[in-house]
Structure formats: structure tokens, C-alpha cells
Amino acid sequence: MSPKRKISLTEEELVLALRNREKIAADALYDMYSSSLFGVISRIITDTAIAEDVLQETFIKIWNSFSSYSAEKGRLFTWMVNIARNLSIDKVRSKDFKNQSKNHELENNVTFIDEQRNTVYKPELLGVKDLVEKLKPEQKIILELVYFKGYTHVEVSEELGVPLGTVKTRLRMAIIELRKYFN
Amino acid sequence: MEDVKAYIETGILELYVLGELSQDEKSQVEEMASKHPQIKAEIAEIERSLEAYAAANAVEPPDQLRDRVLNSLLTTFADDSKFPSKEFFENDIDDEVDEVVTPHDNVVALPAVKSGSFYKYAFAACLVALIASIAAIYSLNERLNDSYGQIASLQSRNQSFANRVNLLDNEINIFHDPAFKLIKLQGTPKTPASQLTVAWNPVKKKVMIDMQAMKLAANDEAHQYQLWAIVNGKPVDLGVFDAKPDSTGMIEMNPVANAAAFAVTLEKRGGVPSPTMSQMVVIATI
């Protein structure tokens, strides 16, 4: 997949090295996770330069607040991708970003995300073809909105005009499809 | 077990993994997970599949970003103020990530502090090395300046030797040059022991006196010897000189082309326009 030599550690080794703040941990962290995190960030933030800034902020935050990660409560990637997603959403909703994007003053997040939506939904961004075929359209949309666009399930419910319970069910079904596919 | 299954089916675990729950809901899920391995396993499955999903949708960041990001991490290595990360919790109250994982300070504080002090020591070591280097440079600089001084004094001594060699060369040339006449001036009856050798080149009009072989009484501060040439019966002033016991070398006097005789008188310092005959000490006729 990659022609360059990249450092790869097991998750346990990486977590230990990160706790000890070893240099190799920073290298491995970047090599192992930068593309997955950048995939999420660059779908929430379409401006490449800003997306790159957010990737950098994400790694800095991971590095500096690593003491707050606990392996008992979940996988490392889950913790990191939530940092990436939150920083991305903060950026998209920040005043700076709105000014940069030359958007009008927006009243609330939902309408803002509505406006964002014209850059939003591109099914071809879902990388794996047969996976796309396995997911039902409504599952794909929910995954896309929640995972790659940073919508909360409440916002998805309003966006798609479906009840909250339905959003939760569809999200669960979509993730079950992913589990079948990947496991 | 039915309860557990129903709990899983609500879809709350997916929202938990996506970081969408409130602090209360999160604690609740974590409590359930600690009680029911099935829930814990379910969470792990959801996490794994979402991680794989993200990997399948990965976008490779540009190559140059790697150095930029890693450098920004490494600059925080030696910076104690950057961790622990309490300020993050204060600043990002609405940040759901920080709510997902509550800090376990007691577990991680030790290694973080440890490696922090390592960099402190490393920094101190660098500082010591820097000071030692500056001291070494300073002392080398001192020695370099000494060497420059020695070179300068050697050069000036060398120069004075060269001058002396030139002078002696000139003297030897005079003795070897057949055009030079060596005239021995003998003492007058008043000063029978006095003697002076004058080297005279009538062609080049050059007149030198040999200070080394001179036998004249040392003059005092108020007086000087004055050399005269007798040209066409009249005395011509060829200049004044001092006689000291340790005089060496030859000195050049005023030039003269035709001389019938040379004589030296003792005059007041600076010389006089015409010789005081009673003070004549040596004389020679050609």
C-alpha cells in the first residue's frame, strides 16, 4: 500500500511508548493512523489546508493529553478519531472558518450544516465498492453524516426528517453490516 | 441476559463509541460494560468495525505534513508546561472527547514526569557542554593572541637582523671596493694616541668613518667631533659625530669630491662653520 517504510507497532506497544513519551511513539502514531484520521477530517473539512492544520492539531492534542486515554474503556483509535472529529467540527463551526468560507452569519448549527450539505454527500467517497453495495442507502447516508460529517444523531434526525429512534436503529444496522464485512 | 440484549439493541453502544453520549449516559454504559462482558465485547466489535471503516476510507495526507506534525510534537518533548493536560479539560468543557475518557492521572503521572526530568537533565547537560565549549574557545583565543604577539616580535627581530646584515654587507663592500680609499687620520702632538679611519670614494663622493676602529676620547654632552675636508686650501664641513667607547659600524658623512686632507676637531655640539685649529685631534693629508 505504501512504498515508504513506516513504523508499525502493536496497539499495546504503541500505548506504552506513548505513555513514556518516546520519540518512536510519535513516529509510529503518525504512520499508523494519519491516513485514517485524515480520511475523517478531510471529509468534514473540504479545504485541504485547513484539514491539514486540524490533523496537526489532532496529533498535538493526542500527544499532550495522552494521559487521559484509558485502554480499559476502549480502543486507541476510537479515542483518537473522536478527538479528530471534535476538532474538525469545532473548526467548521468556528467564526474563523465561517469567515474563511465566506458564509453568512448562521443562526444555529443545523442550518449551517444544511448549507455545508451541498459539498456533502458523495457516495464515491466510500472507498470499498462491495461494502457500498452491501449497505442500504439510508444506512450509508447515516454513516456518512455521523462518521464523516460530524452530525450528532439529533442533527441527523432533523436533517433526514426521521425519528431519533429510527436514526439509532439505522446506525446500528449500518454498523452491523460493517462488522459483517470487516470481521 | 434478556436485559443485556435489549440494552445492546437500543443502539446506545454505537453512540457511545461515536462519542455522542452525555457524561451521565457514558458513565452508565461504562458501568454496564464492567458488569456484562457481553456488552464489553459488543463495544469492542463496534470499535473494531468503525476503525476498519475509517481505514477503508483513509486519505493519505501529503508527505511534507509528516515532518511538520512530528516536529510540532517533538517540540513539546522538553516542555513541562505542555503536560499534564489539565488545561484541556478546563478549556474544552463542551468537548465530548474529554468526557468520553476520564483521566487516570495516578496511573500515568509517573512515567510522564520521569521522562520530563530526563529532558531537564539532557538540557542541563547541554548547558554544561555549552559553557565548557565557550571556556575552551576563550582559552584557545588567548593562546592564539599570544602566538600572534610572538610572531610579531619574531618578525621585528628578523627585520633588525636583516638590517644589520645589510649594514655589514655595505661595510664589507666598502673594504672590497677598490674605488674606496682608506685614509688613516693620525693624532696631533696634543693627542698622539688618537686615530680615525676615513673611507673615501672620490668618484661617488662618498665619505664614511669607521666607528669601530676609532680611537678618540669620548666627547661630553656639550661637545661633538666635527670632520673636515680641506678642499682647495679651505676647510669644508663634513658633519659631526659622537665618540663613544662602544661605538660600532660605519657612519656616512657629507659627500666631498676633491680633498687634499681630512681633519677632525672637537667643537661645541652641533658643529661650527669653521674649524677651531687648536682643537684638532687627528689629521691626514692625501
Side-chain angles (χ1 to χ4, degrees), chain A residues 8-29 32-33 62-63 66-67 69-72 74-76 79-80, chain B residues 77 107-115:
Chain A
S8 187
L9 303 172
T10 67
E11 189 164 325
E12 289 74 19
E13 288 170 335
L14 178 60
V15 167
L16 187 66
L18 281 168
R19 286 214 195 290
N20 293 331
R21 303 182 75 75
E22 292 167 24
K23 187 187 178 300
I24 193 176
D27 292 340
L29 185 71
M32 291 166 70
Y33 294 109
I62 290 168
W63 183 256
F66 194 74
S67 60
Y69 168 68
S70 155
E72 291 161 34
R75 292 176 67 78
L76 179 59
W79 180 72
M80 295 193 300
Chain B
F77 259 132
V107 183
V108 283
L110 188 58
V113 167
K114 238 190 200 167
S115 67

Short mmCIF file of all heavy atoms in Angstrom, two decimals, chain A residues 8-29 32-33 62-63 66-67 69-72 74-76 79-80, chain B residues 77 107-115:
data_model
loop_
_atom_site.label_atom_id
_atom_site.label_comp_id
_atom_site.label_asym_id
_atom_site.label_seq_id
_atom_site.Cartn_x
_atom_site.Cartn_y
_atom_site.Cartn_z
N SER A 8 5.46 0.45 12.48
CA SER A 8 4.21 -0.12 12.93
C SER A 8 4.45 -0.91 14.21
O SER A 8 5.37 -1.70 14.29
CB SER A 8 3.63 -1.02 11.84
OG SER A 8 2.35 -1.43 12.22
N LEU A 9 3.61 -0.62 15.20
CA LEU A 9 3.72 -1.33 16.48
C LEU A 9 2.37 -1.95 16.78
O LEU A 9 1.36 -1.60 16.17
CB LEU A 9 4.07 -0.35 17.60
CG LEU A 9 5.33 0.50 17.47
CD1 LEU A 9 5.38 1.54 18.59
CD2 LEU A 9 6.57 -0.37 17.52
N THR A 10 2.35 -2.89 17.71
CA THR A 10 1.04 -3.34 18.17
C THR A 10 0.44 -2.21 18.99
O THR A 10 1.14 -1.31 19.46
CB THR A 10 1.15 -4.59 19.07
OG1 THR A 10 1.82 -4.19 20.27
CG2 THR A 10 1.94 -5.69 18.38
N GLU A 11 -0.90 -2.27 19.16
CA GLU A 11 -1.55 -1.20 19.89
C GLU A 11 -1.02 -1.10 21.32
O GLU A 11 -0.81 -0.01 21.84
CB GLU A 11 -3.08 -1.42 19.90
CG GLU A 11 -3.81 -0.22 20.45
CD GLU A 11 -5.30 -0.24 20.12
OE1 GLU A 11 -5.66 -0.70 19.03
OE2 GLU A 11 -6.07 0.22 20.96
N GLU A 12 -0.74 -2.28 21.93
CA GLU A 12 -0.22 -2.28 23.31
C GLU A 12 1.15 -1.61 23.37
O GLU A 12 1.41 -0.79 24.25
CB GLU A 12 -0.12 -3.71 23.86
CG GLU A 12 -1.46 -4.38 24.14
CD GLU A 12 -2.20 -4.80 22.87
OE1 GLU A 12 -1.56 -4.92 21.80
OE2 GLU A 12 -3.43 -4.99 22.96
N GLU A 13 2.00 -1.98 22.42
CA GLU A 13 3.35 -1.38 22.40
C GLU A 13 3.26 0.13 22.20
O GLU A 13 3.96 0.90 22.85
CB GLU A 13 4.18 -1.97 21.24
CG GLU A 13 4.61 -3.40 21.46
CD GLU A 13 5.20 -4.02 20.18
OE1 GLU A 13 4.87 -3.55 19.07
OE2 GLU A 13 5.97 -4.97 20.31
N LEU A 14 2.36 0.52 21.28
CA LEU A 14 2.23 1.94 20.98
C LEU A 14 1.75 2.72 22.20
O LEU A 14 2.28 3.78 22.52
CB LEU A 14 1.26 2.14 19.80
CG LEU A 14 0.99 3.58 19.42
CD1 LEU A 14 2.28 4.29 19.01
CD2 LEU A 14 -0.02 3.66 18.28
N VAL A 15 0.75 2.15 22.88
CA VAL A 15 0.20 2.84 24.05
C VAL A 15 1.28 3.01 25.12
O VAL A 15 1.44 4.08 25.71
CB VAL A 15 -1.03 2.08 24.62
CG1 VAL A 15 -1.41 2.61 25.99
CG2 VAL A 15 -2.20 2.21 23.65
N LEU A 16 2.06 1.94 25.32
CA LEU A 16 3.13 2.01 26.32
C LEU A 16 4.16 3.07 25.94
O LEU A 16 4.57 3.90 26.76
CB LEU A 16 3.81 0.63 26.43
CG LEU A 16 4.83 0.51 27.57
CD1 LEU A 16 4.13 0.62 28.92
CD2 LEU A 16 5.61 -0.79 27.46
N ALA A 17 4.54 3.07 24.66
CA ALA A 17 5.54 4.03 24.19
C ALA A 17 5.02 5.46 24.29
O ALA A 17 5.75 6.39 24.62
CB ALA A 17 5.95 3.72 22.76
N LEU A 18 3.71 5.62 24.03
CA LEU A 18 3.12 6.96 24.13
C LEU A 18 3.12 7.43 25.59
O LEU A 18 3.36 8.59 25.88
CB LEU A 18 1.68 6.95 23.60
CG LEU A 18 1.54 6.99 22.06
CD1 LEU A 18 0.11 6.68 21.65
CD2 LEU A 18 1.97 8.33 21.51
N ARG A 19 2.83 6.50 26.49
CA ARG A 19 2.85 6.87 27.91
C ARG A 19 4.24 7.33 28.32
O ARG A 19 4.40 8.24 29.12
CB ARG A 19 2.46 5.67 28.77
CG ARG A 19 1.00 5.35 28.72
CD ARG A 19 0.50 4.83 30.06
NE ARG A 19 -0.80 4.18 29.92
CZ ARG A 19 -1.91 4.83 29.66
NH1 ARG A 19 -1.89 6.13 29.49
NH2 ARG A 19 -3.06 4.19 29.54
N ASN A 20 5.26 6.66 27.78
CA ASN A 20 6.64 7.03 28.12
C ASN A 20 7.15 8.18 27.28
O ASN A 20 8.30 8.58 27.40
CB ASN A 20 7.56 5.82 27.95
CG ASN A 20 7.25 4.74 28.97
OD1 ASN A 20 6.79 5.05 30.07
ND2 ASN A 20 7.46 3.51 28.60
N ARG A 21 6.28 8.67 26.41
CA ARG A 21 6.62 9.81 25.54
C ARG A 21 7.91 9.57 24.78
O ARG A 21 8.79 10.43 24.70
CB ARG A 21 6.70 11.10 26.35
CG ARG A 21 5.41 11.41 27.10
CD ARG A 21 5.46 12.70 27.85
NE ARG A 21 5.34 13.86 26.98
CZ ARG A 21 4.22 14.27 26.43
NH1 ARG A 21 3.11 13.62 26.62
NH2 ARG A 21 4.20 15.33 25.66
N GLU A 22 8.01 8.37 24.19
CA GLU A 22 9.18 8.06 23.38
C GLU A 22 8.99 8.64 21.99
O GLU A 22 7.87 8.72 21.50
CB GLU A 22 9.37 6.55 23.29
CG GLU A 22 9.76 5.92 24.62
CD GLU A 22 9.63 4.41 24.58
OE1 GLU A 22 9.71 3.85 23.49
OE2 GLU A 22 9.45 3.82 25.66
N LYS A 23 10.12 8.99 21.37
CA LYS A 23 10.04 9.59 20.03
C LYS A 23 9.45 8.61 19.03
O LYS A 23 8.66 8.97 18.17
CB LYS A 23 11.43 10.04 19.56
CG LYS A 23 11.35 10.80 18.26
CD LYS A 23 12.70 11.10 17.67
CE LYS A 23 12.57 11.83 16.34
NZ LYS A 23 11.83 11.07 15.33
N ILE A 24 9.82 7.35 19.20
CA ILE A 24 9.33 6.35 18.24
C ILE A 24 7.81 6.26 18.30
O ILE A 24 7.15 5.94 17.30
CB ILE A 24 9.97 4.95 18.51
CG1 ILE A 24 9.70 4.03 17.32
CG2 ILE A 24 9.48 4.38 19.82
CD1 ILE A 24 10.35 2.69 17.43
N ALA A 25 7.24 6.57 19.45
CA ALA A 25 5.79 6.53 19.58
C ALA A 25 5.14 7.56 18.68
O ALA A 25 4.12 7.30 18.04
CB ALA A 25 5.39 6.78 21.04
N ALA A 26 5.74 8.75 18.61
CA ALA A 26 5.20 9.80 17.75
C ALA A 26 5.27 9.37 16.29
O ALA A 26 4.30 9.52 15.54
CB ALA A 26 5.98 11.10 17.96
N ASP A 27 6.42 8.80 15.90
CA ASP A 27 6.56 8.34 14.51
C ASP A 27 5.53 7.27 14.18
O ASP A 27 4.85 7.33 13.16
CB ASP A 27 7.97 7.76 14.29
CG ASP A 27 9.04 8.84 14.37
OD1 ASP A 27 8.67 10.03 14.21
OD2 ASP A 27 10.20 8.51 14.60
N ALA A 28 5.44 6.27 15.08
CA ALA A 28 4.54 5.16 14.83
C ALA A 28 3.09 5.63 14.81
O ALA A 28 2.29 5.23 13.96
CB ALA A 28 4.73 4.07 15.89
N LEU A 29 2.77 6.51 15.74
CA LEU A 29 1.41 7.04 15.82
C LEU A 29 1.02 7.66 14.49
O LEU A 29 -0.06 7.40 13.94
CB LEU A 29 1.35 8.10 16.93
CG LEU A 29 -0.02 8.69 17.24
CD1 LEU A 29 -0.88 7.66 17.93
CD2 LEU A 29 0.12 9.93 18.11
N MET A 32 0.86 5.00 11.57
CA MET A 32 -0.21 4.02 11.66
C MET A 32 -1.59 4.65 11.48
O MET A 32 -2.51 4.01 10.98
CB MET A 32 -0.15 3.30 13.02
CG MET A 32 1.07 2.38 13.15
SD MET A 32 1.35 1.87 14.86
CE MET A 32 -0.04 0.76 15.14
N TYR A 33 -1.75 5.89 11.90
CA TYR A 33 -3.11 6.43 11.97
C TYR A 33 -3.37 7.70 11.17
O TYR A 33 -4.51 8.13 11.06
CB TYR A 33 -3.49 6.68 13.44
CG TYR A 33 -3.60 5.42 14.24
CD1 TYR A 33 -2.66 5.09 15.21
CD2 TYR A 33 -4.64 4.52 14.01
CE1 TYR A 33 -2.74 3.91 15.93
CE2 TYR A 33 -4.74 3.33 14.73
CZ TYR A 33 -3.79 3.04 15.69
OH TYR A 33 -3.89 1.88 16.39
N ILE A 62 -3.58 14.63 20.87
CA ILE A 62 -3.39 13.23 21.26
C ILE A 62 -2.13 13.10 22.11
O ILE A 62 -2.11 12.49 23.17
CB ILE A 62 -3.27 12.34 20.00
CG1 ILE A 62 -4.60 12.24 19.28
CG2 ILE A 62 -2.76 10.94 20.38
CD1 ILE A 62 -4.52 11.63 17.89
N TRP A 63 -1.08 13.74 21.62
CA TRP A 63 0.23 13.66 22.29
C TRP A 63 0.19 14.28 23.67
O TRP A 63 0.64 13.70 24.66
CB TRP A 63 1.25 14.36 21.40
CG TRP A 63 2.66 14.32 21.91
CD1 TRP A 63 3.34 15.34 22.49
CD2 TRP A 63 3.55 13.21 21.87
NE1 TRP A 63 4.60 14.93 22.82
CE2 TRP A 63 4.76 13.63 22.46
CE3 TRP A 63 3.45 11.90 21.41
CZ2 TRP A 63 5.85 12.79 22.58
CZ3 TRP A 63 4.54 11.06 21.55
CH2 TRP A 63 5.72 11.51 22.12
N PHE A 66 -2.41 12.58 26.28
CA PHE A 66 -2.46 11.13 26.24
C PHE A 66 -2.73 10.51 27.61
O PHE A 66 -3.27 9.42 27.71
CB PHE A 66 -1.17 10.54 25.65
CG PHE A 66 -1.32 9.10 25.30
CD1 PHE A 66 -2.05 8.74 24.19
CD2 PHE A 66 -0.82 8.10 26.12
CE1 PHE A 66 -2.26 7.40 23.89
CE2 PHE A 66 -1.03 6.77 25.83
CZ PHE A 66 -1.75 6.42 24.70
N SER A 67 -2.37 11.24 28.64
CA SER A 67 -2.60 10.69 30.00
C SER A 67 -4.08 10.49 30.28
O SER A 67 -4.45 9.75 31.18
CB SER A 67 -1.99 11.62 31.04
OG SER A 67 -2.59 12.88 30.95
N TYR A 69 -6.11 9.08 28.16
CA TYR A 69 -6.60 7.88 27.47
C TYR A 69 -6.50 6.68 28.40
O TYR A 69 -5.49 6.48 29.08
CB TYR A 69 -5.79 7.61 26.20
CG TYR A 69 -6.06 6.25 25.62
CD1 TYR A 69 -7.31 5.97 25.05
CD2 TYR A 69 -5.12 5.23 25.67
CE1 TYR A 69 -7.60 4.70 24.55
CE2 TYR A 69 -5.39 3.97 25.17
CZ TYR A 69 -6.64 3.71 24.61
OH TYR A 69 -6.92 2.46 24.13
N SER A 70 -7.57 5.88 28.41
CA SER A 70 -7.54 4.67 29.21
C SER A 70 -7.89 3.48 28.34
O SER A 70 -8.96 3.43 27.74
CB SER A 70 -8.54 4.80 30.36
OG SER A 70 -8.94 3.51 30.78
N ALA A 71 -6.97 2.54 28.24
CA ALA A 71 -7.17 1.38 27.36
C ALA A 71 -8.36 0.53 27.81
O ALA A 71 -8.98 -0.16 27.00
CB ALA A 71 -5.90 0.54 27.31
N GLU A 72 -8.68 0.60 29.10
CA GLU A 72 -9.81 -0.21 29.58
C GLU A 72 -11.13 0.22 28.95
O GLU A 72 -12.05 -0.56 28.79
CB GLU A 72 -9.96 -0.04 31.11
CG GLU A 72 -8.85 -0.66 31.90
CD GLU A 72 -8.82 -0.06 33.31
OE1 GLU A 72 -9.91 0.26 33.83
OE2 GLU A 72 -7.70 0.09 33.84
N GLY A 74 -11.64 1.51 25.97
CA GLY A 74 -11.83 1.40 24.53
C GLY A 74 -10.55 1.41 23.76
O GLY A 74 -9.46 1.59 24.31
N ARG A 75 -10.69 1.24 22.45
CA ARG A 75 -9.51 1.18 21.59
C ARG A 75 -8.92 2.57 21.41
O ARG A 75 -9.60 3.58 21.49
CB ARG A 75 -9.90 0.62 20.22
CG ARG A 75 -10.29 -0.84 20.25
CD ARG A 75 -10.77 -1.30 18.89
NE ARG A 75 -9.70 -1.32 17.89
CZ ARG A 75 -8.77 -2.28 17.80
NH1 ARG A 75 -8.77 -3.29 18.65
NH2 ARG A 75 -7.85 -2.25 16.86
N LEU A 76 -7.63 2.55 21.14
CA LEU A 76 -6.92 3.81 20.94
C LEU A 76 -7.53 4.61 19.78
O LEU A 76 -7.75 5.83 19.88
CB LEU A 76 -5.44 3.51 20.64
CG LEU A 76 -4.54 4.72 20.38
CD1 LEU A 76 -4.53 5.65 21.56
CD2 LEU A 76 -3.12 4.26 20.03
N TRP A 79 -10.67 6.60 20.58
CA TRP A 79 -10.37 7.83 21.34
C TRP A 79 -9.83 8.91 20.40
O TRP A 79 -10.24 10.06 20.42
CB TRP A 79 -9.36 7.48 22.43
CG TRP A 79 -8.94 8.61 23.30
CD1 TRP A 79 -9.70 9.24 24.25
CD2 TRP A 79 -7.66 9.25 23.30
NE1 TRP A 79 -8.96 10.22 24.85
CE2 TRP A 79 -7.71 10.26 24.30
CE3 TRP A 79 -6.48 9.07 22.59
CZ2 TRP A 79 -6.62 11.08 24.58
CZ3 TRP A 79 -5.39 9.88 22.87
CH2 TRP A 79 -5.47 10.89 23.86
N MET A 80 -8.92 8.48 19.51
CA MET A 80 -8.27 9.47 18.64
C MET A 80 -9.23 10.02 17.59
O MET A 80 -9.23 11.22 17.30
CB MET A 80 -7.06 8.83 17.94
CG MET A 80 -5.97 8.45 18.90
SD MET A 80 -4.41 8.04 18.07
CE MET A 80 -4.91 6.67 17.05
N PHE B 77 8.32 17.89 23.65
CA PHE B 77 9.01 16.89 24.47
C PHE B 77 9.58 17.49 25.75
O PHE B 77 9.36 17.02 26.85
CB PHE B 77 10.17 16.30 23.68
CG PHE B 77 9.86 14.95 23.11
CD1 PHE B 77 10.14 14.66 21.79
CD2 PHE B 77 9.28 13.98 23.90
CE1 PHE B 77 9.85 13.42 21.26
CE2 PHE B 77 8.99 12.73 23.37
CZ PHE B 77 9.28 12.47 22.05
N VAL B 107 -2.23 6.76 37.26
CA VAL B 107 -1.53 5.72 36.53
C VAL B 107 -0.40 6.31 35.68
O VAL B 107 0.68 5.78 35.64
CB VAL B 107 -2.50 4.95 35.60
CG1 VAL B 107 -1.75 3.82 34.90
CG2 VAL B 107 -3.66 4.43 36.41
N VAL B 108 -0.69 7.43 35.04
CA VAL B 108 0.24 7.90 34.01
C VAL B 108 1.18 8.98 34.47
O VAL B 108 2.14 9.27 33.79
CB VAL B 108 -0.54 8.43 32.79
CG1 VAL B 108 -1.06 7.27 31.99
CG2 VAL B 108 -1.64 9.35 33.26
N ALA B 109 0.90 9.57 35.62
CA ALA B 109 1.70 10.73 36.02
C ALA B 109 3.19 10.37 36.12
O ALA B 109 4.03 11.12 35.66
CB ALA B 109 1.22 11.28 37.35
N LEU B 110 3.49 9.18 36.64
CA LEU B 110 4.88 8.85 36.94
C LEU B 110 5.77 8.81 35.70
O LEU B 110 6.75 9.54 35.63
CB LEU B 110 4.94 7.52 37.71
CG LEU B 110 6.33 7.17 38.24
CD1 LEU B 110 6.84 8.26 39.15
CD2 LEU B 110 6.29 5.83 38.96
N PRO B 111 5.42 7.99 34.67
CA PRO B 111 6.30 7.97 33.50
C PRO B 111 6.42 9.33 32.83
O PRO B 111 7.49 9.67 32.37
CB PRO B 111 5.63 6.96 32.55
CG PRO B 111 4.34 6.61 33.15
CD PRO B 111 4.32 7.03 34.58
N ALA B 112 5.32 10.08 32.81
CA ALA B 112 5.38 11.38 32.16
C ALA B 112 6.38 12.28 32.87
O ALA B 112 7.22 12.88 32.25
CB ALA B 112 3.99 12.02 32.17
N VAL B 113 6.30 12.29 34.22
CA VAL B 113 7.21 13.14 34.98
C VAL B 113 8.65 12.67 34.81
O VAL B 113 9.56 13.44 34.63
CB VAL B 113 6.82 13.12 36.48
CG1 VAL B 113 7.93 13.72 37.33
CG2 VAL B 113 5.52 13.89 36.66
N LYS B 114 8.79 11.31 34.79
CA LYS B 114 10.11 10.72 34.64
C LYS B 114 10.79 11.22 33.38
O LYS B 114 11.89 11.72 33.41
CB LYS B 114 9.96 9.20 34.52
CG LYS B 114 10.72 8.42 35.58
CD LYS B 114 10.67 6.99 35.17
CE LYS B 114 10.94 6.05 36.31
NZ LYS B 114 10.58 4.69 35.97
N SER B 115 10.10 11.05 32.25
CA SER B 115 10.74 11.42 31.00
C SER B 115 10.90 12.92 30.93
O SER B 115 11.81 13.42 30.32
CB SER B 115 9.95 10.90 29.81
OG SER B 115 8.72 11.57 29.74
#
